[in-house]
Amino acid sequence: MKQTGTDINRMVLHGRAVHPPAFSHCNHEVEFFSFPISVSRLSGVSDQVNVMVSRPLLERCGWLERGEELTVHGEVRTFNNRSGVGSRL
């Protein structure tokens, strides 16, 4: 199947918030928050995926509490960590 611009880098996760959102950074006067979501595989094993969300989106959708079930629609974003601490990607 040929991928087009509308279906590249799209993902949907369904799971539970491991922790409530915590302030991460501010960019162009917009505050961003991050939190891990626990997603279960068909095998029953769970993965934790970090989610980054803007304050306006959190306010529209509602603030999350630990253990709250949610579905996330978004994109996968990575960055190169040049700090020398932790993994590089």
Side-chain angles (χ1 to χ4, degrees):
M1 176 171 105
K2 182 176 178 176
Q3 291 183 326
T4 64
T6 59
D7 61 4
I8 295 175
N9 198 22
R10 298 280 183 236
M11 62 96 203
V12 177
L13 295 173
H14 184 80
R16 294 192 178 275
V18 177
H19 300 290
F23 178 77
S24 172
H25 66 283
C26 191
N27 187 12
H28 298 287
E29 299 181 10
V30 177
E31 293 179 338
F32 287 86
F33 293 77
S34 65
F35 63 95
I37 179 175
S38 178
V39 180
S40 294
R41 298 182 188 192
L42 292 176
S43 66
V45 175
S46 293
D47 292 310
Q48 282 192 19
V49 180
N50 291 323
V51 175
M52 185 76 57
V53 62
S54 67
R55 177 183 283 278
L57 184 57
L58 271 175
E59 289 174 347
R60 268 198 319 268
C61 297
W63 289 84
L64 296 165
E65 298 297 327
R66 180 180 183 191
E68 193 169 335
E69 190 172 358
L70 71 147
T71 301
V72 176
H73 298 259
E75 300 174 345
V76 176
R77 297 289 179 108
T78 62
F79 70 97
N80 289 322
N81 179 2
R82 294 186 174 96
S83 72
V85 178
S87 63
R88 295 203 40 143
L89 181 63

